[in-house]
């Protein structure tokens, strides 16, 4: 495979490996079928980090959903720092975390009624209108993400997180002044 002609430690060859050689960086294991390094499985190698991440993610999800912010801006850096995922993997996993949180919140709020009007709390008509554009945006974002270098994605995520932090703090200060 590729590892037979790659020089060990060369940046372009770090993703290729042989099953019998330990050429993969930390938290990656060699897949003998594809001869490429892939992220380790759940609870392989560093189970304490996996359990810690699960507890932190559950706490973030609970807090974020209780104040209607989602929490995606927190998932991306934590997946990169605690579980050491790459940028492209991290963005996909954060979307999965957000989808799980949204499904949980919808299931929790599905039976609630509007406090003042005789209708459900969830606006299902709005859901039907916004879902197709949301799915189209996710599909386009997937294609753009594949073509975008990691450093550009990190810079864009930093800007989005900074803007989200700014608007959240602005709303918090306005609520505190009242």
């Amino acid at each position: 495979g590729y590892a037979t002609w790659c020089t060990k430690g060369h940046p372009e060859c770090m993703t290729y490996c042989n099953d019998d050689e330990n050429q993969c960086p930390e938290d990656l294991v060699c897949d003998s079928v594809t001869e490429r390094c892939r992220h380790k499985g759940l609870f392989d190698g560093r189970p304490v980090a996996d359990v810690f991440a699960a507890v932190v993610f559950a706490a973030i999800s609970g807090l974020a959903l209780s104040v209607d912010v989602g929490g995606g801006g927190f998932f991306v850096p934590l997946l990169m720092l605690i579980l050491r995922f790459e940028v492209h993997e991290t963005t996909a996993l954060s979307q999965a975390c957000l989808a799980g949180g949204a499904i949980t919140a919808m299931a929790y709020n599905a039976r609630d009624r509007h406090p003042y009007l005789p209708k459900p709390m969830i606006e299902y008509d709005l859901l039907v209108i916004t879902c197709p554009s949301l799915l189209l945006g996710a599909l386009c974002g997937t294609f753009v993400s594949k073509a975008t270098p990691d450093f550009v994605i990190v810079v864009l995520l930093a800007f989005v997180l900074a803007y989200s932090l700014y608007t959240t703090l602005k709303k918090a200060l306005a609520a505190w002044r009242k």
Side-chain angles (χ1 to χ4, degrees):
Y2 293 105
T4 57
W5 53 268
C6 281
T7 305
K8 188 172 182 176
H10 190 275
E12 298 212 5
C13 297
M14 291 301 285
T15 58
Y16 299 102
C17 61
N18 281 334
D19 193 29
D20 59 344
E21 295 182 40
N22 188 11
Q23 293 181 331
C24 298
E26 188 179 354
D27 289 331
L28 298 178
V29 294
C30 187
D31 187 346
S32 60
V33 176
T34 61
E35 294 184 341
R36 291 190 67 124
C37 297
R38 63 171 175 78
H39 202 275
K40 68 174 189 64
L42 186 63
F43 301 121
D44 290 344
R46 296 184 324 135
V48 174
D50 293 337
V51 171
F52 177 72
V55 170
V56 170
F57 281 32
I60 287 173
S61 292
L63 291 172
L65 289 172
S66 67
V67 294
D68 291 332
V69 286
F74 298 108
F75 292 138
V76 172
L78 289 175
L79 282 165
M80 291 174 73
L81 295 173
I82 297 174
L83 298 179
R84 298 180 184 164
F85 279 101
E86 294 294 323
V87 175
H88 287 90
E89 297 169 328
T90 302
T91 52
L93 286 170
S94 71
Q95 293 298 316
C97 292
L98 291 173
I103 290 168
T104 303
M106 184 172 168
Y108 180 77
N109 292 322
R111 293 182 161 209
D112 285 354
R113 305 294 296 172
H114 193 279
Y116 307 115
L117 301 172
K119 64 179 192 170
M121 182 67 83
I122 297 174
E123 290 281 346
Y124 292 103
D125 294 337
L126 184 63
L127 185 70
V128 169
I129 292 170
T130 58
C131 270
S133 59
L134 180 69
L135 292 174
L136 182 63
L139 184 64
C140 292
T142 301
F143 290 132
V144 170
S145 174
K146 288 285 186 184
T148 307
D150 287 351
F151 76 92
V152 174
I153 292 175
V154 171
V155 169
L156 291 173
L157 288 172
F159 281 128
V160 168
L161 184 59
Y163 178 74
S164 297
L165 181 65
Y166 169 74
T167 56
T168 302
L169 288 175
K170 191 172 154 182
K171 287 180 183 178
L173 286 173
W176 183 67
R177 287 182 183 146
K178 285 184 181 181

